[in-house]
Amino acid sequence: LSKKLILKKMKGQDQIAFQNRALDSFRDHEKSALHKASLLAWAIFRNSKVLVDVEQQLNVVHGNEIRDRREYLRRIIGVTTFLGKQGLPFRGHDETESQNQGNFVKCFSLLTEFDPFLQSYKAPSKTSYLSPASQNEVIRCCSEQVTFRIVSEMKRSGMYAIMADEARDKYKEQLAVCVRYVVPVTGLVTEHFLGFSELKCFDEESITESLQSCLRVHGLDDLLCVSQTYAGASVMSRSSRGVQAKFQKYHPEAIYIHCYAHELNMVLYYSCKAIKEASDFFSTLESVYAVFSASLINHKRFNDVQAQLGLKQRELVQLSDTHWSCQVNSVNALISNFPAVIHCLADIESSAASGLLGRLCKLPTVYCLFMFQSLLSTTEAFHKLLQKENLDLAKAIDVKKAVCSTLQDMRTNEKAKELYEKARVLFVNNGIDIKETALQRKKQKRVDDFIVAAAGGASEDISTPDYLKTKLFYPCLDRMLSELDQRFSSIKAELDLNTLANHYKIELNPDEIPIAKNYVTLKHENDKKLNMTDVYQLLDPFCFPTLKKVVQVALTLPANSCSCERSFGVLRRLHTWLRSTMGQDRLQHLAVLSIEKTALKSVPVDAIIDRFANMRKRRYELTLPGKI
């Protein structure tokens, strides 16, 4: 019976008579449809002795039912967020009868075994919220609530920077879009993932439209975009008709910044490949790795020799074609395993192993080992810094200057001699005679079988420190310094406060600058050098409104697009061949849950339930009376 019908009957009939009839109905029609109605009427009448308002009693019962449903949904959301953050699949082969019902159903069943509420609560059979359709709706609500929180913070911040990168997974081309902004309350710089967009065509128009579509969906197309940062592919970076030029038509203030992490990778690539001896050295390094990784027999022999020589067991490291800053790991691995590698190559009966052994036993090869260990170790810390989310351009340029100064200080005869001594000691310790391969013969020109001319000169001694210094060390070092200066100099001028204010149309009050300097000096504690984040947090928005806004712009400018690269790592874990039928929407929402774990943790569960309740008309109410 409905609530209104019960009230009507209780008002029109004697309460005692209604009580007796309710008890008789309960006994005679226990299995009928009137059972629940009679029981409810009896409970209301009994409680009305304490609370006279019957309508209030009905509201209490109705509210308790809604609270139970919300508690039930709270458990479902908990399982959903757990699987989403871990990047685990939800579905099973058959969620009704199969032994493999999937992680979602199994996790919920496990939770039921230990949760008294789930053991006592019986959800309606058609409203259990465990179906695939309900799973998708809950996943979507969690993702949208996380994105809503991020977008709300961006709008309060008033400005943002956009970062994008593309990659192909197993099935389609995806464009990852991330944003960077200053959190208004804390003043800290943060970067967040907005979503993936499927690219039908990899051209300037398609990529630009995907970026604009992503901003329109979240209501950000009118918000100030201070910069755009990409990895530097020609389709993105062309100044006349690339994505950066087309995006600036919609956002004129958005300056283009080439990702500094990719810039450093290009610096090391061209520095290591420019010199022929250096290029041959890395080819030898890759060949040595291939010998011991492609054959299980050779790998087992390598481990046995390590044990016999008393070396710490350490694997050789493969070179990376796209992350040259990581090549120092390959160099260090070969130096520590050099005796084992020499012994194994000498035991392997093959022409390839003999050729590699001959190349490794040459002095220039060993000299390159220690030379690149020194050079790449200098840039390794810079590479790690350039991947940090809260890095600003000013700090990146300062560290670049420090790296250049360090490399410049290495350009001495003493450093070259030190590298030579390390190579010579390694030769002596492994019983290799430097003099046997010291002379480099000049090549002779031939036409068919006849020698027509010599390439000139006598044999050149390649074992001297001067030869290695002038032919290897100085050229590689000079090329690295040149590349660093050339590739990291494009944004220097734009870090000036007046230049930033003019570009972004901020009317900077010049009177604020000297006052702010004195104010920051007074707040300076323990002679600690302040960075831009510290200065931004110290500046009061009422005293320094324009200066604080300019500093906020400088903090918002990103130095890298590594957040997009990290999102592709999540994409590869989510879109596996076992989950190849996953749609783009579900992939997008699961990616948000997996990438934005911290943001998801701070989202109230009640907000997710309210969004789920208002998504469409539900069979049962999930929103408490009086709550929007």
Side-chain angles (χ1 to χ4, degrees):
L1 295 177
S2 66
K3 173 182 173 183
K4 293 183 179 180
L5 184 59
I6 295 174
L7 292 174
K8 182 177 179 181
K9 286 191 174 185
M10 293 191 67
K11 290 178 181 178
Q13 300 180 15
D14 181 72
Q15 292 182 348
I16 298 177
F18 182 79
Q19 172 186 351
N20 294 332
R21 282 196 294 274
L23 289 173
D24 293 338
S25 176
F26 176 72
R27 296 189 184 95
D28 298 336
H29 307 282
E30 184 176 359
K31 298 181 179 180
S32 67
L34 296 175
H35 172 207
K36 294 183 179 180
S38 301
L39 186 61
L40 179 62
W42 163 247
I44 292 173
F45 177 75
R46 182 184 60 190
N47 293 336
S48 64
K49 296 178 181 179
V50 181
L51 301 174
V52 181
D53 191 348
V54 177
E55 185 174 2
Q56 183 179 357
Q57 291 295 302
L58 287 171
N59 289 335
V60 170
V61 174
H62 185 58
N64 290 335
E65 292 179 351
I66 293 177
R67 289 188 184 89
D68 289 345
R69 295 188 199 114
R70 291 176 73 88
E71 284 296 319
Y72 177 71
L73 266 175
R74 188 181 293 273
R75 272 71 174 175
I76 292 179
I77 292 174
V79 175
T80 302
T81 54
F82 167 74
L83 295 176
K85 288 188 290 187
Q86 298 301 116
L88 299 174
F90 283 63
R91 303 289 303 281
H93 173 68
D94 185 354
E95 295 185 355
T96 57
E97 299 178 356
S98 172
Q99 294 296 324
N100 180 20
Q101 293 179 302
N103 293 329
F104 182 82
V105 175
K106 286 298 184 181
C107 284
F108 196 77
S109 300
L110 179 63
L111 186 61
T112 304
E113 294 182 14
F114 301 96
D115 190 346
F117 172 80
L118 289 179
Q119 293 173 359
S120 60
Y121 181 78
K122 301 300 180 184
S125 59
K126 294 185 179 180
T127 321
S128 63
Y129 305 122
L130 299 178
S131 65
S134 295
Q135 287 178 23
N136 287 333
E137 289 180 349
V138 173
I139 292 171
R140 176 184 172 185
C141 289
C142 295
S143 170
E144 289 181 348
Q145 195 63 34
V146 171
T147 307
F148 174 77
R149 175 183 174 275
I150 295 172
V151 172
S152 299
E153 275 190 348
M154 291 174 63
K155 291 181 178 179
R156 289 196 299 271
S157 177
M159 63 182 69
Y160 70 98
I162 190 170
M163 300 167 288
D165 199 1
E166 63 81 27
R168 178 182 293 275
D169 65 357
K170 297 179 185 298
Y171 310 101
K172 58 187 70 173
E173 196 86 29
Q174 298 281 1
L175 180 71
V177 181
C178 297
V179 290
R180 175 188 174 98
Y181 59 92
V182 179
V183 180
V185 178
T186 61
L188 299 176
V189 180
T190 184
E191 295 181 1
H192 288 289
F193 171 76
L194 273 189
F196 287 121
S197 297
E198 182 181 353
L199 293 176
K200 302 298 183 181
C201 299
F202 188 60
D203 54 61
E204 298 88 346
E205 290 78 9
S206 300
I207 297 175
T208 306
E209 179 56 32
S210 296
L211 290 174
Q212 279 298 110
S213 176
C214 181
L215 296 178
R216 280 195 300 267
V217 167
H218 298 102
L220 299 171
D221 48 341
D222 294 331
L223 196 64
L224 175 62
C225 181
V226 298
S227 73
Q228 47 180 326
T229 304
Y230 314 123
S234 59
V235 69
M236 312 291 282
S237 61
R238 281 197 293 262
S239 58
S240 58
R241 53 190 179 88
V243 173
Q244 61 129 333
K246 295 184 179 297
F247 188 79
Q248 277 187 335
K249 294 180 181 179
Y250 301 98
H251 307 273
E253 298 86 0
I255 62 175
Y256 167 64
I257 300 176
H258 189 172
C259 173
Y260 274 17
H262 286 79
E263 290 277 25
L264 179 61
N265 183 66
M266 299 304 295
V267 166
L268 300 178
Y269 174 81
Y270 285 111
S271 299
C272 298
K273 291 291 187 179
I275 312 302
K276 182 182 182 302
E277 289 80 357
S279 180
D280 294 341
F281 164 75
F282 283 104
S283 298
T284 302
L285 217 62
E286 184 65 27
S287 300
V288 171
Y289 173 81
V291 167
F292 294 103
S293 63
S295 171
L296 293 177
I297 297 176
N298 293 341
H299 186 266
K300 177 66 168 56
R301 181 180 299 171
F302 177 68
N303 290 335
D304 293 341
V305 171
Q306 282 181 319
Q308 293 173 5
L309 297 177
L311 299 176
K312 183 178 179 181
Q313 187 168 354
R314 181 178 178 181
E315 298 293 337
L316 299 177
V317 180
Q318 185 179 14
L319 274 72
S320 173
D321 293 332
T322 56
H323 295 86
W324 274 83
S325 54
C326 300
Q327 311 296 43
V328 65
N329 298 327
S330 303
V331 173
N332 290 333
L334 182 56
I335 291 177
S336 61
N337 289 306
F338 192 81
V341 170
I342 295 298
H343 280 74
C344 287
L345 291 177
D347 293 339
I348 298 175
E349 296 179 357
S350 70
S351 58
S354 301
L356 277 179
L357 181 61
R359 279 187 278 172
L360 281 179
C361 290
K362 290 182 178 180
L363 185 61
T365 302
V366 179
Y367 188 86
C368 283
L369 270 177
F370 292 102
M371 180 184 70
F372 281 111
Q373 182 190 41
S374 181
L375 295 179
L376 296 177
S377 297
T378 305
T379 59
E380 184 181 15
F382 188 34
H383 167 70
K384 293 180 179 178
L385 176 71
L386 289 178
Q387 298 183 59
K388 296 180 65 176
E389 291 184 3
N390 58 353
L391 176 68
D392 55 77
L393 279 177
K395 186 174 181 180
I397 291 175
D398 289 341
V399 177
K400 189 271 297 185
K401 292 178 180 178
V403 171
C404 289
S405 299
T406 304
L407 292 174
Q408 189 65 46
D409 294 339
M410 292 170 59
R411 199 182 189 281
T412 60
N413 293 330
E414 290 76 13
K415 183 64 178 178
K417 187 176 181 180
E418 176 188 341
L419 297 176
Y420 178 82
E421 286 298 321
K422 288 183 178 179
R424 190 185 65 80
V425 169
L426 187 65
F427 265 64
V428 172
N429 292 340
N430 290 274
I432 304 173
D433 190 0
I434 298 178
K435 296 181 179 180
E436 291 183 1
T437 57
L439 296 179
Q440 179 182 11
R441 294 183 178 180
K442 294 296 182 178
K443 293 183 179 179
Q444 294 176 323
K445 295 182 181 180
R446 293 175 176 269
V447 175
D448 294 333
D449 294 331
F450 298 93
I451 301 175
V452 296
S459 299
E460 187 176 4
D461 190 356
I462 64 173
S463 65
T464 62
D466 290 337
Y467 175 88
L468 297 172
K469 177 183 67 175
T470 56
K471 297 295 184 180
L472 285 176
F473 184 49
Y474 281 177
C476 289
L477 184 58
D478 292 341
R479 182 60 182 264
M480 186 176 293
L481 287 169
S482 174
E483 292 286 342
L484 283 170
D485 286 335
Q486 178 183 353
R487 295 181 178 274
F488 286 87
S489 60
S490 58
I491 305 295
K492 279 183 183 179
E494 298 181 14
L495 291 179
D496 179 73
L497 292 179
N498 292 318
T499 306
L500 287 175
N502 293 333
H503 180 79
Y504 295 104
K505 299 178 177 60
I506 302 173
E507 297 182 1
L508 179 62
N509 186 355
D511 296 333
E512 293 181 11
I513 298 177
I515 301 174
K517 288 182 179 179
N518 294 328
Y519 178 76
V520 171
T521 303
L522 290 174
K523 293 290 185 179
H524 202 183
E525 298 178 357
N526 300 327
D527 295 331
K528 177 185 176 183
K529 186 177 179 180
L530 301 179
N531 53 32
M532 277 203 299
T533 303
D534 298 328
V535 173
Y536 178 81
Q537 293 172 343
L538 285 175
L539 293 178
D540 189 276
F542 297 101
C543 297
F544 314 101
T546 60
L547 182 59
K548 189 177 181 72
K549 193 171 184 180
V550 175
V551 175
Q552 181 183 354
V553 170
L555 282 172
T556 307
L557 295 175
N560 60 64
S561 59
C562 294
S563 294
C564 300
E565 294 283 350
R566 285 187 281 267
S567 67
F568 289 132
V570 175
L571 176 64
R572 294 183 183 94
R573 294 195 299 270
L574 290 176
H575 212 199
T576 62
W577 67 274
L578 287 174
R579 307 170 78 177
S580 59
T581 58
M582 185 189 305
Q584 181 68 23
D585 289 340
R586 182 180 172 95
L587 175 64
Q588 150 77 17
H589 297 316
L590 287 176
V592 172
L593 298 186
S594 183
I595 296 170
E596 296 296 334
K597 297 178 182 179
T598 305
L600 177 60
K601 187 177 180 180
S602 61
V603 171
V605 178
D606 286 332
I608 299 175
I609 297 176
D610 292 339
R611 182 179 289 271
F612 179 78
N614 298 324
M615 180 179 290
R616 62 182 177 86
K617 188 176 181 180
R618 301 289 175 184
R619 184 186 297 269
Y620 295 100
E621 290 187 50
L622 295 171
T623 306
L624 292 170
K627 185 176 181 180
I628 300 178

